[in-house]
Amino acid sequence: MIWNTMMGTSILSIPWGIKQAGFTSGIILILLMGILTLYCCYRVVKSRKMIPLIDTSNWEFPDVCKYYFGSFGQWSSLLFSMVSLVGAMVVYWVLMSNFLFNTGRFIYNFVHDINVTDIVPGTNGSNKVICPSAASSHPPQNKSVIFSSGNNTGFELFEEWWNKSQTVPFYLIAVLLPLLNLKSPSFFAKFNVLGTVSVVYLVFLVTVKAARLGIHLEYNWFTENDFFVPEFRILFPQLTGVLTLAFFIHNCVITLLQNNRNQENNVRDLSIAYFLVGLTYLYVGVIIFASFPSPPLSKECIEQNFLDNFPSDDIMSFLARIFLLFQMMTVYPLLGYLARVQLLRQFFGNAYPSVFHVLVLNVAIVGAGVVMARFYPNIGGIIRYSGATCGLAFVFVYPSLIYVISLHRAGQLTWPALIIHIFIILLGLANLIAQFLL
């Protein structure tokens, strides 16, 4: 359950993050961030047990924050929890727009027997890999060459009304906004298995593509050339920002572990889940980076969503986008429900005070997704900013402070423990600041 919940959209940006950090340093950072976030998550799980003389069996982590920090802890934990939820929903909207656009384009071309060759740098052959970022930096006058026996006017009209950033993000409103207004999205929780299917298929896709493309690696620690990136890059905090959200489950881990039949196995199960998540991220990130064909392309061409490196007529990528699109359309209402419950219950004491309250909240959340998909469709940037922001509180600061305070009250605080946890807090702060500097 924890693995299934934690595995999300961040997996699509891990190869891009490794590119930003450098191959070797990227692998090291995934391992270190996995260990660090696991330890902080362990501190969250144990935080209730360190409160004496009070029954905390029904407490969530925000309740623990309120106990230690008063109303500031209560409201700040709500704020950062909303940042993580809304940030995830914005990323979902950008990705759903991307997947819907490519899916619609594939179906239209197939039905009308249209062969479209995108004018972007790429490899030749059946296993084509493209470099959209190079085309966007040097855009040609015509985006594509159309090979069709019919009239191309219909295709041009289709491209005008089926635009990735200008029209498709708005089409999603008609489907998803009504779903957000449902009182209980329990129906969509039944489709949680789609998340597992999507991740398994992504691993299969990555394996098949790597087997066909081969391995393209050249090790060089600091020198950068046209085809390879160095093993260490100063942009590595961009990967740590992505990983903070990729390993983030701290605000709901207590709830998830409460369903365990044997509570004494919580730490073991949490460790196994983090190991599996880290292994999945490592596998996908390393294989995509290593197999990316450079030359003739550059590793710099790896996109923030690695599926964008495969053309829209690639059948395996088409199936991946279909899986992910349906998964996200079922998870999105669940995220909206969590945001509604946390926010409206805090302000009004009721998760559904009225249709008007819920509609205003949902319109604001959907509007944020549409605006980002329209003007800033960079999922890597959104993930690292929101991940570093909410991670500062839930991953680094609150678990460490609560542990230090509880040790101090029990008279068990030592200098090594104090120094280590202050260092963890400083790491979280540096991680957030670096996102805005690099």
Side-chain angles (χ1 to χ4, degrees):
M1 174 63 76
I2 297 176
W3 175 85
N4 194 26
T5 305
M6 205 185 310
M7 293 299 305
T9 57
S10 302
I11 192 173
L12 299 172
S13 295
I14 295 295
W16 169 80
I18 291 179
K19 176 197 75 175
Q20 298 301 92
F23 183 60
T24 302
S25 55
I27 294 174
I28 294 172
L29 284 174
I30 292 176
L31 294 173
L32 292 179
M33 285 295 292
I35 294 171
L36 179 59
T37 51
L38 169 59
Y39 173 74
C40 294
C41 199
Y42 166 77
R43 293 266 62 97
V44 170
V45 172
K46 292 294 184 180
S47 61
R48 296 185 305 171
K49 302 295 184 181
M50 304 191 73
I51 299 176
L53 307 177
I54 297 178
D55 180 15
T56 60
S57 57
N58 295 321
W59 283 25
E60 303 291 343
F61 191 58
D63 298 314
V64 179
C65 294
K66 182 180 179 180
Y67 172 83
Y68 281 99
F69 308 114
S71 60
F72 172 80
Q74 177 185 7
W75 291 102
S76 60
S77 62
L78 172 66
L79 172 64
F80 288 112
S81 182
M82 291 299 296
V83 168
S84 66
L85 289 170
V86 176
M89 294 180 75
V90 168
V91 172
Y92 270 47
W93 200 276
V94 174
L95 285 172
M96 286 187 293
S97 301
N98 181 309
F99 297 151
L100 182 60
F101 167 78
N102 283 288
T103 301
R105 189 179 184 189
F106 178 93
I107 295 173
Y108 182 90
N109 294 343
F110 180 80
V111 170
H112 293 84
D113 195 24
I114 297 175
N115 183 13
V116 181
T117 302
D118 295 319
I119 304 180
V120 293
T123 59
N124 298 319
S126 57
N127 297 309
K128 185 175 182 180
V129 178
I130 60 176
C131 185
S133 55
S136 62
S137 58
H138 302 285
Q141 290 185 347
N142 297 313
K143 293 183 179 179
S144 53
V145 175
I146 309 169
F147 299 96
S148 174
S149 57
N151 191 345
N152 293 334
T153 304
F155 179 82
E156 294 171 356
L157 185 63
F158 169 77
E159 288 220 314
E160 179 182 350
W161 287 97
W162 196 257
N163 187 282
K164 183 187 292 187
S165 61
Q166 296 181 7
T167 59
V168 172
F170 294 92
Y171 297 155
L172 287 169
I173 298 176
V175 178
L176 293 174
L177 184 57
L179 297 180
L180 284 177
N181 293 313
L182 296 177
K183 279 194 173 183
S184 174
S186 57
F187 170 77
F188 299 102
K190 300 175 183 178
F191 294 92
N192 195 35
V193 68
L194 284 175
T196 304
V197 174
S198 300
V199 174
V200 170
Y201 182 77
L202 278 178
V203 172
F204 171 74
L205 179 149
V206 166
T207 305
V208 171
K209 291 293 184 182
R212 294 176 177 175
L213 292 169
I215 301 300
H216 303 266
L217 281 177
E218 178 180 295
Y219 297 97
N220 198 315
W221 272 96
F222 300 105
T223 305
E224 190 167 356
N225 60 38
D226 291 338
F227 300 114
F228 302 97
V229 298
E231 298 305 296
F232 173 82
R233 302 181 78 183
I234 198 65
L235 298 175
F236 72 89
Q238 296 186 5
L239 175 59
T240 61
V242 171
L243 290 173
T244 306
L245 193 62
F247 286 112
F248 183 75
I249 199 171
H250 301 62
N251 63 337
C252 60
V253 66
I254 292 178
T255 305
L256 292 174
L257 289 176
Q258 280 178 343
N259 297 322
N260 253 6
R261 181 176 300 174
N262 301 315
Q263 289 293 304
E264 65 274 10
N265 296 331
N266 282 349
V267 175
R268 182 203 65 184
D269 295 344
L270 183 67
S271 302
I272 293 173
Y274 263 85
F275 172 77
L276 293 175
V277 169
L279 187 65
T280 307
Y281 288 152
L282 267 177
Y283 183 82
V284 171
V286 168
I287 293 298
I288 287 291
F289 184 92
S291 63
F292 195 84
S294 58
L297 300 178
S298 168
K299 299 287 189 185
E300 290 291 349
C301 290
I302 297 176
E303 294 292 309
Q304 296 182 12
N305 171 8
F306 74 81
L307 289 177
D308 287 342
N309 285 116
F310 302 109
S312 59
D313 60 352
D314 182 90
I315 185 64
M316 291 191 69
S317 302
F318 166 74
L319 292 176
R321 293 182 179 109
I322 286 287
F323 277 129
L324 289 167
L325 178 61
F326 280 103
Q327 178 217 350
M328 291 180 183
M329 291 183 72
T330 58
V331 174
Y332 188 85
L334 294 176
L335 294 176
Y337 175 76
L338 292 175
R340 181 210 311 168
V341 168
Q342 291 189 17
L343 189 66
L344 297 187
R345 184 173 289 170
Q346 196 78 302
F347 279 97
F348 302 102
N350 188 343
Y352 205 99
S354 73
V355 175
F356 175 76
H357 290 85
V358 173
L359 183 61
V360 169
L361 174 62
N362 291 335
V363 167
I365 293 175
V366 167
V370 172
V371 169
M372 296 301 281
R374 175 69 179 85
F375 298 105
Y376 189 76
N378 301 317
I379 65 165
I382 301 171
I383 288 174
R384 67 188 183 95
Y385 288 127
S386 59
T389 302
C390 65
L392 175 64
F394 279 107
V395 179
F396 299 103
V397 175
Y398 287 154
S400 298
L401 277 182
I402 288 173
Y403 183 60
V404 168
I405 292 173
S406 62
L407 287 179
H408 177 70
R409 291 179 178 178
Q412 300 173 356
L413 181 62
T414 62
W415 279 107
L418 179 62
I419 292 172
I420 289 172
H421 290 87
I422 289 177
F423 180 67
I424 291 175
I425 293 172
L426 293 177
L427 282 179
L429 184 61
N431 184 40
L432 176 61
I433 294 173
Q435 307 308 316
F436 298 93
L437 298 180
L438 299 174

